[in-house]
CSV table of all heavy atoms in Angstrom, one decimal:
chain,number,residue,atom,x,y,z
A,67,ARG,N,115.1,39.8,-53.2
A,67,ARG,CA,115.7,39.0,-54.3
A,67,ARG,C,117.1,38.5,-53.8
A,67,ARG,O,117.6,37.4,-54.1
A,67,ARG,CB,115.9,39.8,-55.6
A,67,ARG,CG,114.5,40.1,-56.2
A,67,ARG,CD,114.5,41.0,-57.4
A,67,ARG,NE,115.2,40.4,-58.5
A,67,ARG,CZ,116.0,41.2,-59.4
A,67,ARG,NH1,116.0,42.5,-59.2
A,67,ARG,NH2,116.6,40.6,-60.4
A,68,LEU,N,117.8,39.4,-53.1
A,68,LEU,CA,119.2,39.0,-52.5
A,68,LEU,C,118.9,37.9,-51.5
A,68,LEU,O,119.7,36.9,-51.5
A,68,LEU,CB,119.8,40.3,-51.8
A,68,LEU,CG,120.3,41.3,-52.8
A,68,LEU,CD1,120.7,42.6,-51.9
A,68,LEU,CD2,121.5,40.9,-53.5
A,71,LEU,N,118.5,34.5,-53.1
A,71,LEU,CA,119.8,33.9,-53.5
A,71,LEU,C,120.6,33.4,-52.3
A,71,LEU,O,121.1,32.3,-52.3
A,71,LEU,CB,120.7,34.9,-54.3
A,71,LEU,CG,120.2,35.3,-55.7
A,71,LEU,CD1,120.9,36.5,-56.2
A,71,LEU,CD2,120.3,34.1,-56.6
A,72,LEU,N,120.6,34.3,-51.3
A,72,LEU,CA,121.4,33.9,-50.1
A,72,LEU,C,120.8,32.8,-49.3
A,72,LEU,O,121.5,32.1,-48.5
A,72,LEU,CB,121.7,35.2,-49.2
A,72,LEU,CG,122.4,36.3,-49.9
A,72,LEU,CD1,122.4,37.6,-49.1
A,72,LEU,CD2,123.9,35.9,-50.2
A,76,GLU,N,126.1,30.7,-50.4
A,76,GLU,CA,127.0,31.8,-50.1
A,76,GLU,C,127.4,32.6,-51.5
A,76,GLU,O,127.7,31.9,-52.4
A,76,GLU,CB,128.3,31.4,-49.4
A,76,GLU,CG,128.0,30.8,-48.0
A,76,GLU,CD,129.3,30.4,-47.4
A,76,GLU,OE1,130.3,30.1,-48.1
A,76,GLU,OE2,129.3,30.5,-46.1
A,77,TYR,N,127.4,33.8,-51.4
A,77,TYR,CA,127.8,34.6,-52.6
A,77,TYR,C,128.6,35.9,-52.1
A,77,TYR,O,128.3,36.4,-51.1
A,77,TYR,CB,126.6,35.1,-53.4
A,77,TYR,CG,125.8,33.9,-54.0
A,77,TYR,CD1,124.6,33.4,-53.3
A,77,TYR,CD2,126.2,33.3,-55.1
A,77,TYR,CE1,124.0,32.3,-53.7
A,77,TYR,CE2,125.5,32.2,-55.7
A,77,TYR,CZ,124.4,31.7,-55.0
A,77,TYR,OH,123.7,30.6,-55.5
A,78,ASP,N,129.5,36.3,-53.0
A,78,ASP,CA,130.2,37.6,-52.8
A,78,ASP,C,129.4,38.7,-53.4
A,78,ASP,O,128.5,38.4,-54.2
A,78,ASP,CB,131.6,37.5,-53.2
A,78,ASP,CG,131.8,37.3,-54.6
A,78,ASP,OD1,130.9,37.4,-55.4
A,78,ASP,OD2,133.0,37.2,-55.1
A,79,VAL,N,129.8,39.9,-53.1
A,79,VAL,CA,129.0,41.0,-53.7
A,79,VAL,C,129.1,41.1,-55.2
A,79,VAL,O,128.1,41.4,-55.8
A,79,VAL,CB,129.7,42.4,-53.1
A,79,VAL,CG1,129.0,43.5,-53.7
A,79,VAL,CG2,129.5,42.4,-51.6
A,80,THR,N,130.2,40.7,-55.8
A,80,THR,CA,130.2,40.8,-57.3
A,80,THR,C,129.2,39.8,-57.9
A,80,THR,O,128.6,40.2,-58.8
A,80,THR,CB,131.7,40.3,-57.7
A,80,THR,OG1,132.6,41.2,-57.2
A,80,THR,CG2,131.8,40.3,-59.3
A,81,ALA,N,129.1,38.5,-57.4
A,81,ALA,CA,128.1,37.7,-57.9
A,81,ALA,C,126.7,38.2,-57.6
A,81,ALA,O,125.8,38.0,-58.6
A,81,ALA,CB,128.3,36.3,-57.2
A,82,LEU,N,126.4,38.8,-56.6
A,82,LEU,CA,125.1,39.3,-56.3
A,82,LEU,C,124.7,40.5,-57.1
A,82,LEU,O,123.7,40.6,-57.6
A,82,LEU,CB,125.0,39.7,-54.7
A,82,LEU,CG,125.1,38.5,-53.8
A,82,LEU,CD1,125.2,39.0,-52.4
A,82,LEU,CD2,123.9,37.6,-53.9
A,83,VAL,N,125.7,41.3,-57.4
A,83,VAL,CA,125.5,42.5,-58.3
A,83,VAL,C,125.1,41.9,-59.7
A,83,VAL,O,124.2,42.4,-60.3
A,83,VAL,CB,126.8,43.4,-58.4
A,83,VAL,CG1,126.8,44.3,-59.6
A,83,VAL,CG2,127.0,44.1,-57.1
A,84,THR,N,125.9,41.0,-60.2
A,84,THR,CA,125.6,40.5,-61.4
A,84,THR,C,124.2,39.8,-61.5
A,84,THR,O,123.4,40.0,-62.4
A,84,THR,CB,126.6,39.4,-61.8
A,84,THR,OG1,127.9,40.0,-61.8
A,84,THR,CG2,126.3,38.8,-63.3
A,85,ALA,N,123.8,39.0,-60.5
A,85,ALA,CA,122.5,38.3,-60.4
A,85,ALA,C,121.4,39.2,-60.3
A,85,ALA,O,120.4,39.1,-61.1
A,85,ALA,CB,122.5,37.4,-59.2
A,86,VAL,N,121.4,40.3,-59.6
A,86,VAL,CA,120.2,41.1,-59.4
A,86,VAL,C,120.2,42.4,-60.3
A,86,VAL,O,119.2,43.0,-60.4
A,86,VAL,CB,120.1,41.6,-58.0
A,86,VAL,CG1,119.9,40.4,-57.0
A,86,VAL,CG2,121.2,42.4,-57.4
A,87,GLY,N,121.4,42.6,-60.9
A,87,GLY,CA,121.4,43.7,-61.9
A,87,GLY,C,121.3,45.0,-61.4
A,87,GLY,O,120.7,46.0,-61.9
A,88,THR,N,121.8,45.2,-60.1
A,88,THR,CA,121.8,46.5,-59.4
A,88,THR,C,123.2,47.0,-59.1
A,88,THR,O,124.1,46.1,-59.1
A,88,THR,CB,121.1,46.3,-58.0
A,88,THR,OG1,119.7,45.8,-58.3
A,88,THR,CG2,120.9,47.6,-57.3
A,93,VAL,N,123.8,47.4,-53.8
A,93,VAL,CA,123.8,46.0,-53.3
A,93,VAL,C,124.6,46.0,-51.9
A,93,VAL,O,124.1,45.4,-51.0
A,93,VAL,CB,124.5,45.0,-54.3
A,93,VAL,CG1,124.7,43.6,-53.6
A,93,VAL,CG2,123.6,44.8,-55.5
A,97,LEU,N,122.9,44.9,-48.4
A,97,LEU,CA,123.5,43.8,-47.6
A,97,LEU,C,123.9,44.3,-46.2
A,97,LEU,O,123.7,43.6,-45.2
A,97,LEU,CB,124.8,43.3,-48.2
A,97,LEU,CG,124.6,42.5,-49.5
A,97,LEU,CD1,125.9,42.2,-50.2
A,97,LEU,CD2,123.8,41.2,-49.2
A,117,TYR,N,128.5,36.3,-48.2
A,117,TYR,CA,127.3,36.5,-47.5
A,117,TYR,C,126.4,35.2,-47.7
A,117,TYR,O,126.5,34.6,-48.6
A,117,TYR,CB,126.5,37.7,-48.0
A,117,TYR,CG,127.2,39.0,-47.8
A,117,TYR,CD1,128.2,39.5,-48.6
A,117,TYR,CD2,126.9,39.8,-46.7
A,117,TYR,CE1,128.8,40.7,-48.4
A,117,TYR,CE2,127.6,41.0,-46.4
A,117,TYR,CZ,128.4,41.4,-47.3
A,117,TYR,OH,129.1,42.6,-47.1
Side-chain angles (χ1 to χ4, degrees):
R67 292 171 69 211
L68 288 169
L71 290 170
L72 295 172
E76 296 183 328
Y77 297 96
D78 65 9
V79 175
T80 302
L82 294 169
V83 165
T84 301
V86 299
T88 303
V93 169
L97 289 169
Y117 295 85

